Amino acid sequence: MKNYSISRIKVVLLILILFTTFCVELSTLNMSMKTMANLYWGNSGSDVSRVQSRLKDWGYYDGPVDGFFGVRTWLAVRKFQANNGLNVTGIVDDQTKVALGFNISQYTSISSTYTPTTSTTTNDDVYLLAMLINGEARGEPFIGKVAVGAVVMNRVRSPMFPHTIAGVIFQPGAFSAVDDGQMWLPPTQDCIRAAQDAIAGWDPTGGALYYYNASRVQNYWIFNRPIITQIGNHIFAR
C-alpha cells in the first residue's frame, strides 16, 4: 500500500509539472502572437527606445534614446517616412515598422494608450511651439512672435480647443504653416525664446484666440471675430 501511495504522488507531481510547462508555453505563444502597437506622440516604453535607436543608427534621429515619443522622434519618423515612400504621418504604423526592419509580432512592451498631458513646460513643447512660430511669424518683430505663441497657449487653456500644445498646433486646418510646410524649417533662436516666453505666460495679445494677416486672408469668417489689437502684420482677435 505504501508503494502504491508513493506511485500516486509521483503521478500527481508529474501531472502538475506537465500542466505547469503547458501553461508557460501557452503564455509564451500568446505573447508571441500579440502585435507591436502603433507608436505615436506621447507613447513611452522600450519599443519607442528601439525605434529611436534604429533611427539614430540610420542618421534620422539625433536626440536621446529615452523611450519617450516626443517632437524629435516624431520629426525623425516623418523624415524616414518621406525618404522611404511611406505616408508621412509621424506615426510608426505597420508599414513603417516593417521598413525599419522590425518583426511587428515580436514586441509587446509599448504602452499604447495615450493620455494627453496638461503640462506645457517640456523641452519638446518649447521646440514644437518654436517651429510653429518660425513658420507663422518668421518676419515679425519679437513681440509678434511671442504673440503667435500666446495664441496657441490661450487655445490650450480654452475649452473650445485641444488641451495640449501639439493638439492645438495639429488641429486640422488651424495653421497655414503646418499645411504648407513652413513649420518644418529649423526654428531660429528668437523663435525658441519667443516660445519660452509664451509658455511662461507672456501674452501681448490680451487673450486672443485667433490672428490673421488681413492682406492674406482666405477664410473671411475671421473678420467676424472681435479684434483686440494688431502687432506687426498680424491682427489678433477673440
Side-chain angles (χ1 to χ4, degrees):
M1 292 293 293
K2 184 175 181 181
N3 289 338
Y4 177 73
S5 298
I6 293 174
S7 297
R8 288 186 63 186
I9 292 172
K10 288 181 177 179
V11 170
V12 171
L13 288 174
L14 179 60
I15 291 172
L16 287 173
I17 291 171
L18 290 173
F19 179 75
T20 301
T21 302
F22 172 76
C23 289
V24 171
E25 290 180 351
L26 181 62
S27 176
T28 302
L29 178 63
N30 287 337
M31 287 295 288
S32 67
M33 291 175 65
K34 292 181 180 178
T35 59
M36 181 183 184
N38 287 352
L39 311 180
Y40 48 90
W41 193 296
N43 282 149
S44 61
S46 59
D47 284 347
V48 177
S49 296
R50 290 184 180 97
V51 169
Q52 290 173 328
S53 294
R54 186 64 52 83
L55 291 169
K56 197 177 188 76
D57 289 343
W58 292 353
Y60 289 97
Y61 178 66
D62 60 1
V65 179
D66 56 6
F68 177 72
F69 201 123
V71 63
R72 286 173 175 80
T73 305
W74 179 79
L75 289 171
V77 170
R78 287 179 61 90
K79 184 177 180 181
F80 174 80
Q81 290 170 330
N83 287 351
N84 288 274
L86 303 169
N87 290 331
V88 182
T89 62
I91 298 172
V92 183
D93 54 16
D94 285 348
Q95 287 185 326
T96 305
K97 295 169 205 169
V98 171
L100 283 166
F102 291 113
N103 178 347
I104 63 175
S105 65
Q106 184 176 0
Y107 304 112
T108 59
S109 58
I110 184 66
S111 172
S112 60
T113 301
Y114 172 50
T115 303
T117 175
T118 56
S119 171
T120 56
T121 59
T122 70
N123 289 335
D124 278 343
D125 284 332
V126 171
Y127 194 81
L128 183 63
L129 185 57
M131 288 171 61
L132 179 76
I133 293 171
N134 190 64
E136 290 278 320
R138 194 161 52 251
E140 297 295 311
F142 181 74
I143 191 173
K145 293 181 173 67
V146 178
V148 167
V151 168
V152 173
M153 299 310 301
N154 290 338
R155 289 188 180 188
V156 169
R157 291 184 285 266
S158 168
M160 298 187 298
F161 296 91
H163 297 305
T164 63
I165 290 175
V168 167
I169 290 175
F170 296 118
Q171 190 173 25
F175 297 99
S176 59
V178 177
D179 297 332
D180 65 18
Q182 290 294 312
M183 178 178 166
W184 314 124
L185 299 172
T188 64
Q189 286 301 311
D190 261 7
C191 290
I192 292 174
R193 288 196 300 111
Q196 291 170 334
D197 286 344
I199 288 175
W202 184 15
D203 181 7
T205 75
L209 293 173
Y210 303 92
Y211 65 88
Y212 57 93
N213 185 325
S215 65
R216 299 179 181 177
V217 169
Q218 295 181 345
N219 296 317
Y220 294 101
W221 66 268
I222 194 71
F223 291 141
N224 294 321
R225 308 302 306 187
I227 293 174
I228 301 174
T229 188
Q230 180 169 353
I231 301 173
N233 293 313
H234 286 139
I235 297 171
F236 293 85
R238 290 187 176 85

mmCIF file with all atom_site columns, all heavy atoms in Angstrom, residues 193-217:
data_model
loop_
_atom_site.group_PDB
_atom_site.id
_atom_site.type_symbol
_atom_site.label_atom_id
_atom_site.label_alt_id
_atom_site.label_comp_id
_atom_site.label_asym_id
_atom_site.label_entity_id
_atom_site.label_seq_id
_atom_site.pdbx_PDB_ins_code
_atom_site.Cartn_x
_atom_site.Cartn_y
_atom_site.Cartn_z
_atom_site.occupancy
_atom_site.B_iso_or_equiv
_atom_site.pdbx_formal_charge
_atom_site.auth_seq_id
_atom_site.auth_comp_id
_atom_site.auth_asym_id
_atom_site.auth_atom_id
_atom_site.pdbx_PDB_model_num
ATOM 1   N N   . ARG A 1 193 ? 13.170  81.529 -28.089 1.00 0.00 ? 193 ARG A N   1
ATOM 2   C CA  . ARG A 1 193 ? 12.965  82.408 -26.925 1.00 0.00 ? 193 ARG A CA  1
ATOM 3   C C   . ARG A 1 193 ? 11.514  82.874 -26.849 1.00 0.00 ? 193 ARG A C   1
ATOM 4   O O   . ARG A 1 193 ? 10.925  82.955 -25.764 1.00 0.00 ? 193 ARG A O   1
ATOM 5   C CB  . ARG A 1 193 ? 13.902  83.616 -27.005 1.00 0.00 ? 193 ARG A CB  1
ATOM 6   C CG  . ARG A 1 193 ? 15.361  83.291 -26.728 1.00 0.00 ? 193 ARG A CG  1
ATOM 7   C CD  . ARG A 1 193 ? 16.181  84.536 -26.438 1.00 0.00 ? 193 ARG A CD  1
ATOM 8   N NE  . ARG A 1 193 ? 16.176  85.472 -27.548 1.00 0.00 ? 193 ARG A NE  1
ATOM 9   C CZ  . ARG A 1 193 ? 15.576  86.667 -27.534 1.00 0.00 ? 193 ARG A CZ  1
ATOM 10  N NH1 . ARG A 1 193 ? 14.907  87.075 -26.465 1.00 0.00 ? 193 ARG A NH1 1
ATOM 11  N NH2 . ARG A 1 193 ? 15.653  87.458 -28.589 1.00 0.00 ? 193 ARG A NH2 1
ATOM 12  N N   . ALA A 1 194 ? 10.911  83.146 -27.991 1.00 0.00 ? 194 ALA A N   1
ATOM 13  C CA  . ALA A 1 194 ? 9.514   83.578 -28.015 1.00 0.00 ? 194 ALA A CA  1
ATOM 14  C C   . ALA A 1 194 ? 8.602   82.467 -27.504 1.00 0.00 ? 194 ALA A C   1
ATOM 15  O O   . ALA A 1 194 ? 7.646   82.724 -26.760 1.00 0.00 ? 194 ALA A O   1
ATOM 16  C CB  . ALA A 1 194 ? 9.115   83.985 -29.434 1.00 0.00 ? 194 ALA A CB  1
ATOM 17  N N   . ALA A 1 195 ? 8.913   81.230 -27.882 1.00 0.00 ? 195 ALA A N   1
ATOM 18  C CA  . ALA A 1 195 ? 8.125   80.095 -27.393 1.00 0.00 ? 195 ALA A CA  1
ATOM 19  C C   . ALA A 1 195 ? 8.253   79.956 -25.887 1.00 0.00 ? 195 ALA A C   1
ATOM 20  O O   . ALA A 1 195 ? 7.259   79.723 -25.175 1.00 0.00 ? 195 ALA A O   1
ATOM 21  C CB  . ALA A 1 195 ? 8.580   78.812 -28.095 1.00 0.00 ? 195 ALA A CB  1
ATOM 22  N N   . GLN A 1 196 ? 9.465   80.110 -25.384 1.00 0.00 ? 196 GLN A N   1
ATOM 23  C CA  . GLN A 1 196 ? 9.677   80.031 -23.937 1.00 0.00 ? 196 GLN A CA  1
ATOM 24  C C   . GLN A 1 196 ? 8.895   81.123 -23.208 1.00 0.00 ? 196 GLN A C   1
ATOM 25  O O   . GLN A 1 196 ? 8.270   80.861 -22.173 1.00 0.00 ? 196 GLN A O   1
ATOM 26  C CB  . GLN A 1 196 ? 11.171  80.153 -23.627 1.00 0.00 ? 196 GLN A CB  1
ATOM 27  C CG  . GLN A 1 196 ? 11.991  78.950 -24.091 1.00 0.00 ? 196 GLN A CG  1
ATOM 28  C CD  . GLN A 1 196 ? 13.489  79.194 -23.998 1.00 0.00 ? 196 GLN A CD  1
ATOM 29  O OE1 . GLN A 1 196 ? 13.961  80.347 -24.060 1.00 0.00 ? 196 GLN A OE1 1
ATOM 30  N NE2 . GLN A 1 196 ? 14.247  78.129 -23.863 1.00 0.00 ? 196 GLN A NE2 1
ATOM 31  N N   . ASP A 1 197 ? 8.921   82.325 -23.762 1.00 0.00 ? 197 ASP A N   1
ATOM 32  C CA  . ASP A 1 197 ? 8.198   83.433 -23.124 1.00 0.00 ? 197 ASP A CA  1
ATOM 33  C C   . ASP A 1 197 ? 6.686   83.215 -23.151 1.00 0.00 ? 197 ASP A C   1
ATOM 34  O O   . ASP A 1 197 ? 5.978   83.507 -22.177 1.00 0.00 ? 197 ASP A O   1
ATOM 35  C CB  . ASP A 1 197 ? 8.540   84.757 -23.823 1.00 0.00 ? 197 ASP A CB  1
ATOM 36  C CG  . ASP A 1 197 ? 9.938   85.247 -23.481 1.00 0.00 ? 197 ASP A CG  1
ATOM 37  O OD1 . ASP A 1 197 ? 10.515  84.740 -22.498 1.00 0.00 ? 197 ASP A OD1 1
ATOM 38  O OD2 . ASP A 1 197 ? 10.455  86.115 -24.208 1.00 0.00 ? 197 ASP A OD2 1
ATOM 39  N N   . ALA A 1 198 ? 6.183   82.694 -24.270 1.00 0.00 ? 198 ALA A N   1
ATOM 40  C CA  . ALA A 1 198 ? 4.743   82.444 -24.373 1.00 0.00 ? 198 ALA A CA  1
ATOM 41  C C   . ALA A 1 198 ? 4.309   81.362 -23.394 1.00 0.00 ? 198 ALA A C   1
ATOM 42  O O   . ALA A 1 198 ? 3.274   81.481 -22.717 1.00 0.00 ? 198 ALA A O   1
ATOM 43  C CB  . ALA A 1 198 ? 4.379   82.058 -25.800 1.00 0.00 ? 198 ALA A CB  1
ATOM 44  N N   . ILE A 1 199 ? 5.092   80.302 -23.294 1.00 0.00 ? 199 ILE A N   1
ATOM 45  C CA  . ILE A 1 199 ? 4.773   79.222 -22.362 1.00 0.00 ? 199 ILE A CA  1
ATOM 46  C C   . ILE A 1 199 ? 4.863   79.708 -20.919 1.00 0.00 ? 199 ILE A C   1
ATOM 47  O O   . ILE A 1 199 ? 4.090   79.285 -20.057 1.00 0.00 ? 199 ILE A O   1
ATOM 48  C CB  . ILE A 1 199 ? 5.709   78.022 -22.615 1.00 0.00 ? 199 ILE A CB  1
ATOM 49  C CG1 . ILE A 1 199 ? 5.316   77.333 -23.926 1.00 0.00 ? 199 ILE A CG1 1
ATOM 50  C CG2 . ILE A 1 199 ? 5.656   77.028 -21.465 1.00 0.00 ? 199 ILE A CG2 1
ATOM 51  C CD1 . ILE A 1 199 ? 6.239   76.209 -24.341 1.00 0.00 ? 199 ILE A CD1 1
ATOM 52  N N   . ALA A 1 200 ? 5.791   80.621 -20.670 1.00 0.00 ? 200 ALA A N   1
ATOM 53  C CA  . ALA A 1 200 ? 5.943   81.167 -19.316 1.00 0.00 ? 200 ALA A CA  1
ATOM 54  C C   . ALA A 1 200 ? 4.801   82.101 -18.933 1.00 0.00 ? 200 ALA A C   1
ATOM 55  O O   . ALA A 1 200 ? 4.649   82.453 -17.766 1.00 0.00 ? 200 ALA A O   1
ATOM 56  C CB  . ALA A 1 200 ? 7.274   81.907 -19.201 1.00 0.00 ? 200 ALA A CB  1
ATOM 57  N N   . GLY A 1 201 ? 3.974   82.530 -19.917 1.00 0.00 ? 201 GLY A N   1
ATOM 58  C CA  . GLY A 1 201 ? 2.803   83.319 -19.575 1.00 0.00 ? 201 GLY A CA  1
ATOM 59  C C   . GLY A 1 201 ? 2.712   84.697 -20.198 1.00 0.00 ? 201 GLY A C   1
ATOM 60  O O   . GLY A 1 201 ? 1.725   85.405 -19.985 1.00 0.00 ? 201 GLY A O   1
ATOM 61  N N   . TRP A 1 202 ? 3.716   85.110 -20.982 1.00 0.00 ? 202 TRP A N   1
ATOM 62  C CA  . TRP A 1 202 ? 3.634   86.434 -21.601 1.00 0.00 ? 202 TRP A CA  1
ATOM 63  C C   . TRP A 1 202 ? 2.614   86.398 -22.736 1.00 0.00 ? 202 TRP A C   1
ATOM 64  O O   . TRP A 1 202 ? 2.726   85.612 -23.667 1.00 0.00 ? 202 TRP A O   1
ATOM 65  C CB  . TRP A 1 202 ? 5.005   86.842 -22.131 1.00 0.00 ? 202 TRP A CB  1
ATOM 66  C CG  . TRP A 1 202 ? 5.036   88.249 -22.716 1.00 0.00 ? 202 TRP A CG  1
ATOM 67  C CD1 . TRP A 1 202 ? 4.095   89.223 -22.561 1.00 0.00 ? 202 TRP A CD1 1
ATOM 68  C CD2 . TRP A 1 202 ? 6.060   88.814 -23.538 1.00 0.00 ? 202 TRP A CD2 1
ATOM 69  N NE1 . TRP A 1 202 ? 4.461   90.364 -23.230 1.00 0.00 ? 202 TRP A NE1 1
ATOM 70  C CE2 . TRP A 1 202 ? 5.668   90.148 -23.833 1.00 0.00 ? 202 TRP A CE2 1
ATOM 71  C CE3 . TRP A 1 202 ? 7.262   88.343 -24.040 1.00 0.00 ? 202 TRP A CE3 1
ATOM 72  C CZ2 . TRP A 1 202 ? 6.434   90.995 -24.618 1.00 0.00 ? 202 TRP A CZ2 1
ATOM 73  C CZ3 . TRP A 1 202 ? 8.042   89.178 -24.817 1.00 0.00 ? 202 TRP A CZ3 1
ATOM 74  C CH2 . TRP A 1 202 ? 7.635   90.495 -25.101 1.00 0.00 ? 202 TRP A CH2 1
ATOM 75  N N   . ASP A 1 203 ? 1.623   87.264 -22.656 1.00 0.00 ? 203 ASP A N   1
ATOM 76  C CA  . ASP A 1 203 ? 0.575   87.322 -23.676 1.00 0.00 ? 203 ASP A CA  1
ATOM 77  C C   . ASP A 1 203 ? 0.389   88.764 -24.144 1.00 0.00 ? 203 ASP A C   1
ATOM 78  O O   . ASP A 1 203 ? -0.417  89.517 -23.590 1.00 0.00 ? 203 ASP A O   1
ATOM 79  C CB  . ASP A 1 203 ? -0.747  86.776 -23.131 1.00 0.00 ? 203 ASP A CB  1
ATOM 80  C CG  . ASP A 1 203 ? -1.856  86.808 -24.178 1.00 0.00 ? 203 ASP A CG  1
ATOM 81  O OD1 . ASP A 1 203 ? -1.570  87.117 -25.349 1.00 0.00 ? 203 ASP A OD1 1
ATOM 82  O OD2 . ASP A 1 203 ? -3.009  86.534 -23.815 1.00 0.00 ? 203 ASP A OD2 1
ATOM 83  N N   . PRO A 1 204 ? 1.110   89.187 -25.194 1.00 0.00 ? 204 PRO A N   1
ATOM 84  C CA  . PRO A 1 204 ? 0.956   90.556 -25.696 1.00 0.00 ? 204 PRO A CA  1
ATOM 85  C C   . PRO A 1 204 ? -0.394  90.800 -26.368 1.00 0.00 ? 204 PRO A C   1
ATOM 86  O O   . PRO A 1 204 ? -0.732  91.947 -26.678 1.00 0.00 ? 204 PRO A O   1
ATOM 87  C CB  . PRO A 1 204 ? 2.093   90.677 -26.731 1.00 0.00 ? 204 PRO A CB  1
ATOM 88  C CG  . PRO A 1 204 ? 2.988   89.509 -26.499 1.00 0.00 ? 204 PRO A CG  1
ATOM 89  C CD  . PRO A 1 204 ? 2.128   88.433 -25.920 1.00 0.00 ? 204 PRO A CD  1
ATOM 90  N N   . THR A 1 205 ? -1.180  89.738 -26.593 1.00 0.00 ? 205 THR A N   1
ATOM 91  C CA  . THR A 1 205 ? -2.430  89.878 -27.349 1.00 0.00 ? 205 THR A CA  1
ATOM 92  C C   . THR A 1 205 ? -3.628  90.205 -26.475 1.00 0.00 ? 205 THR A C   1
ATOM 93  O O   . THR A 1 205 ? -4.681  90.574 -26.987 1.00 0.00 ? 205 THR A O   1
ATOM 94  C CB  . THR A 1 205 ? -2.751  88.578 -28.106 1.00 0.00 ? 205 THR A CB  1
ATOM 95  O OG1 . THR A 1 205 ? -3.231  87.584 -27.174 1.00 0.00 ? 205 THR A OG1 1
ATOM 96  C CG2 . THR A 1 205 ? -1.534  88.049 -28.829 1.00 0.00 ? 205 THR A CG2 1
ATOM 97  N N   . GLY A 1 206 ? -3.499  90.024 -25.170 1.00 0.00 ? 206 GLY A N   1
ATOM 98  C CA  . GLY A 1 206 ? -4.634  90.279 -24.297 1.00 0.00 ? 206 GLY A CA  1
ATOM 99  C C   . GLY A 1 206 ? -5.706  89.198 -24.366 1.00 0.00 ? 206 GLY A C   1
ATOM 100 O O   . GLY A 1 206 ? -6.898  89.492 -24.228 1.00 0.00 ? 206 GLY A O   1
ATOM 101 N N   . GLY A 1 207 ? -5.286  87.965 -24.624 1.00 0.00 ? 207 GLY A N   1
ATOM 102 C CA  . GLY A 1 207 ? -6.241  86.865 -24.595 1.00 0.00 ? 207 GLY A CA  1
ATOM 103 C C   . GLY A 1 207 ? -6.757  86.409 -25.939 1.00 0.00 ? 207 GLY A C   1
ATOM 104 O O   . GLY A 1 207 ? -7.791  85.734 -26.011 1.00 0.00 ? 207 GLY A O   1
ATOM 105 N N   . ALA A 1 208 ? -6.073  86.717 -27.026 1.00 0.00 ? 208 ALA A N   1
ATOM 106 C CA  . ALA A 1 208 ? -6.549  86.369 -28.367 1.00 0.00 ? 208 ALA A CA  1
ATOM 107 C C   . ALA A 1 208 ? -6.544  84.854 -28.591 1.00 0.00 ? 208 ALA A C   1
ATOM 108 O O   . ALA A 1 208 ? -5.656  84.140 -28.124 1.00 0.00 ? 208 ALA A O   1
ATOM 109 C CB  . ALA A 1 208 ? -5.689  87.038 -29.429 1.00 0.00 ? 208 ALA A CB  1
ATOM 110 N N   . LEU A 1 209 ? -7.551  84.404 -29.330 1.00 0.00 ? 209 LEU A N   1
ATOM 111 C CA  . LEU A 1 209 ? -7.630  83.008 -29.757 1.00 0.00 ? 209 LEU A CA  1
ATOM 112 C C   . LEU A 1 209 ? -7.380  82.851 -31.255 1.00 0.00 ? 209 LEU A C   1
ATOM 113 O O   . LEU A 1 209 ? -7.228  81.735 -31.746 1.00 0.00 ? 209 LEU A O   1
ATOM 114 C CB  . LEU A 1 209 ? -9.001  82.422 -29.420 1.00 0.00 ? 209 LEU A CB  1
ATOM 115 C CG  . LEU A 1 209 ? -9.333  82.258 -27.937 1.00 0.00 ? 209 LEU A CG  1
ATOM 116 C CD1 . LEU A 1 209 ? -10.791 81.830 -27.768 1.00 0.00 ? 209 LEU A CD1 1
ATOM 117 C CD2 . LEU A 1 209 ? -8.396  81.244 -27.283 1.00 0.00 ? 209 LEU A CD2 1
ATOM 118 N N   . TYR A 1 210 ? -7.349  83.990 -31.969 1.00 0.00 ? 210 TYR A N   1
ATOM 119 C CA  . TYR A 1 210 ? -7.174  83.965 -33.423 1.00 0.00 ? 210 TYR A CA  1
ATOM 120 C C   . TYR A 1 210 ? -6.240  85.109 -33.829 1.00 0.00 ? 210 TYR A C   1
ATOM 121 O O   . TYR A 1 210 ? -6.117  86.118 -33.123 1.00 0.00 ? 210 TYR A O   1
ATOM 122 C CB  . TYR A 1 210 ? -8.513  84.150 -34.143 1.00 0.00 ? 210 TYR A CB  1
ATOM 123 C CG  . TYR A 1 210 ? -9.549  83.125 -33.768 1.00 0.00 ? 210 TYR A CG  1
ATOM 124 C CD1 . TYR A 1 210 ? -10.453 83.373 -32.732 1.00 0.00 ? 210 TYR A CD1 1
ATOM 125 C CD2 . TYR A 1 210 ? -9.634  81.913 -34.447 1.00 0.00 ? 210 TYR A CD2 1
ATOM 126 C CE1 . TYR A 1 210 ? -11.406 82.435 -32.379 1.00 0.00 ? 210 TYR A CE1 1
ATOM 127 C CE2 . TYR A 1 210 ? -10.595 80.968 -34.105 1.00 0.00 ? 210 TYR A CE2 1
ATOM 128 C CZ  . TYR A 1 210 ? -11.479 81.231 -33.073 1.00 0.00 ? 210 TYR A CZ  1
ATOM 129 O OH  . TYR A 1 210 ? -12.422 80.311 -32.722 1.00 0.00 ? 210 TYR A OH  1
ATOM 130 N N   . TYR A 1 211 ? -5.603  84.951 -34.970 1.00 0.00 ? 211 TYR A N   1
ATOM 131 C CA  . TYR A 1 211 ? -4.840  86.049 -35.583 1.00 0.00 ? 211 TYR A CA  1
ATOM 132 C C   . TYR A 1 211 ? -4.834  85.832 -37.080 1.00 0.00 ? 211 TYR A C   1
ATOM 133 O O   . TYR A 1 211 ? -5.046  84.726 -37.582 1.00 0.00 ? 211 TYR A O   1
ATOM 134 C CB  . TYR A 1 211 ? -3.406  86.107 -35.038 1.00 0.00 ? 211 TYR A CB  1
ATOM 135 C CG  . TYR A 1 211 ? -2.557  84.924 -35.365 1.00 0.00 ? 211 TYR A CG  1
ATOM 136 C CD1 . TYR A 1 211 ? -1.806  84.858 -36.544 1.00 0.00 ? 211 TYR A CD1 1
ATOM 137 C CD2 . TYR A 1 211 ? -2.478  83.837 -34.488 1.00 0.00 ? 211 TYR A CD2 1
ATOM 138 C CE1 . TYR A 1 211 ? -1.021  83.768 -36.844 1.00 0.00 ? 211 TYR A CE1 1
ATOM 139 C CE2 . TYR A 1 211 ? -1.701  82.744 -34.781 1.00 0.00 ? 211 TYR A CE2 1
ATOM 140 C CZ  . TYR A 1 211 ? -0.977  82.706 -35.959 1.00 0.00 ? 211 TYR A CZ  1
ATOM 141 O OH  . TYR A 1 211 ? -0.216  81.614 -36.259 1.00 0.00 ? 211 TYR A OH  1
ATOM 142 N N   . TYR A 1 212 ? -4.601  86.900 -37.807 1.00 0.00 ? 212 TYR A N   1
ATOM 143 C CA  . TYR A 1 212 ? -4.570  86.799 -39.264 1.00 0.00 ? 212 TYR A CA  1
ATOM 144 C C   . TYR A 1 212 ? -3.863  88.007 -39.852 1.00 0.00 ? 212 TYR A C   1
ATOM 145 O O   . TYR A 1 212 ? -3.765  89.063 -39.215 1.00 0.00 ? 212 TYR A O   1
ATOM 146 C CB  . TYR A 1 212 ? -5.985  86.687 -39.847 1.00 0.00 ? 212 TYR A CB  1
ATOM 147 C CG  . TYR A 1 212 ? -6.919  87.824 -39.472 1.00 0.00 ? 212 TYR A CG  1
ATOM 148 C CD1 . TYR A 1 212 ? -7.054  88.944 -40.292 1.00 0.00 ? 212 TYR A CD1 1
ATOM 149 C CD2 . TYR A 1 212 ? -7.676  87.771 -38.293 1.00 0.00 ? 212 TYR A CD2 1
ATOM 150 C CE1 . TYR A 1 212 ? -7.914  89.983 -39.965 1.00 0.00 ? 212 TYR A CE1 1
ATOM 151 C CE2 . TYR A 1 212 ? -8.534  88.802 -37.954 1.00 0.00 ? 212 TYR A CE2 1
ATOM 152 C CZ  . TYR A 1 212 ? -8.650  89.902 -38.787 1.00 0.00 ? 212 TYR A CZ  1
ATOM 153 O OH  . TYR A 1 212 ? -9.499  90.935 -38.440 1.00 0.00 ? 212 TYR A OH  1
ATOM 154 N N   . ASN A 1 213 ? -3.363  87.823 -41.056 1.00 0.00 ? 213 ASN A N   1
ATOM 155 C CA  . ASN A 1 213 ? -2.804  88.902 -41.848 1.00 0.00 ? 213 ASN A CA  1
ATOM 156 C C   . ASN A 1 213 ? -3.890  89.326 -42.826 1.00 0.00 ? 213 ASN A C   1
ATOM 157 O O   . ASN A 1 213 ? -4.271  88.545 -43.706 1.00 0.00 ? 213 ASN A O   1
ATOM 158 C CB  . ASN A 1 213 ? -1.548  88.426 -42.587 1.00 0.00 ? 213 ASN A CB  1
ATOM 159 C CG  . ASN A 1 213 ? -0.855  89.534 -43.345 1.00 0.00 ? 213 ASN A CG  1
ATOM 160 O OD1 . ASN A 1 213 ? -1.506  90.436 -43.884 1.00 0.00 ? 213 ASN A OD1 1
ATOM 161 N ND2 . ASN A 1 213 ? 0.460   89.470 -43.417 1.00 0.00 ? 213 ASN A ND2 1
ATOM 162 N N   . ALA A 1 214 ? -4.422  90.533 -42.664 1.00 0.00 ? 214 ALA A N   1
ATOM 163 C CA  . ALA A 1 214 ? -5.589  90.964 -43.449 1.00 0.00 ? 214 ALA A CA  1
ATOM 164 C C   . ALA A 1 214 ? -5.347  90.899 -44.944 1.00 0.00 ? 214 ALA A C   1
ATOM 165 O O   . ALA A 1 214 ? -6.288  90.702 -45.728 1.00 0.00 ? 214 ALA A O   1
ATOM 166 C CB  . ALA A 1 214 ? -5.983  92.386 -43.047 1.00 0.00 ? 214 ALA A CB  1
ATOM 167 N N   . SER A 1 215 ? -4.077  91.038 -45.380 1.00 0.00 ? 215 SER A N   1
ATOM 168 C CA  . SER A 1 215 ? -3.788  91.027 -46.817 1.00 0.00 ? 215 SER A CA  1
ATOM 169 C C   . SER A 1 215 ? -3.711  89.614 -47.391 1.00 0.00 ? 215 SER A C   1
ATOM 170 O O   . SER A 1 215 ? -3.632  89.434 -48.601 1.00 0.00 ? 215 SER A O   1
ATOM 171 C CB  . SER A 1 215 ? -2.462  91.749 -47.089 1.00 0.00 ? 215 SER A CB  1
ATOM 172 O OG  . SER A 1 215 ? -1.377  91.050 -46.504 1.00 0.00 ? 215 SER A OG  1
ATOM 173 N N   . ARG A 1 216 ? -3.755  88.607 -46.508 1.00 0.00 ? 216 ARG A N   1
ATOM 174 C CA  . ARG A 1 216 ? -3.615  87.225 -46.982 1.00 0.00 ? 216 ARG A CA  1
ATOM 175 C C   . ARG A 1 216 ? -4.783  86.328 -46.573 1.00 0.00 ? 216 ARG A C   1
ATOM 176 O O   . ARG A 1 216 ? -4.709  85.119 -46.746 1.00 0.00 ? 216 ARG A O   1
ATOM 177 C CB  . ARG A 1 216 ? -2.313  86.637 -46.437 1.00 0.00 ? 216 ARG A CB  1
ATOM 178 C CG  . ARG A 1 216 ? -1.064  87.378 -46.896 1.00 0.00 ? 216 ARG A CG  1
ATOM 179 C CD  . ARG A 1 216 ? 0.170   86.754 -46.310 1.00 0.00 ? 216 ARG A CD  1
ATOM 180 N NE  . ARG A 1 216 ? 1.382   87.464 -46.723 1.00 0.00 ? 216 ARG A NE  1
ATOM 181 C CZ  . ARG A 1 216 ? 2.611   87.157 -46.309 1.00 0.00 ? 216 ARG A CZ  1
ATOM 182 N NH1 . ARG A 1 216 ? 2.783   86.145 -45.468 1.00 0.00 ? 216 ARG A NH1 1
ATOM 183 N NH2 . ARG A 1 216 ? 3.648   87.847 -46.722 1.00 0.00 ? 216 ARG A NH2 1
ATOM 184 N N   . VAL A 1 217 ? -5.812  86.927 -46.055 1.00 0.00 ? 217 VAL A N   1
ATOM 185 C CA  . VAL A 1 217 ? -6.938  86.129 -45.561 1.00 0.00 ? 217 VAL A CA  1
ATOM 186 C C   . VAL A 1 217 ? -7.644  85.424 -46.713 1.00 0.00 ? 217 VAL A C   1
ATOM 187 O O   . VAL A 1 217 ? -7.923  86.021 -47.754 1.00 0.00 ? 217 VAL A O   1
ATOM 188 C CB  . VAL A 1 217 ? -7.939  87.017 -44.791 1.00 0.00 ? 217 VAL A CB  1
ATOM 189 C CG1 . VAL A 1 217 ? -9.234  86.259 -44.520 1.00 0.00 ? 217 VAL A CG1 1
ATOM 190 C CG2 . VAL A 1 217 ? -7.321  87.479 -43.487 1.00 0.00 ? 217 VAL A CG2 1
#
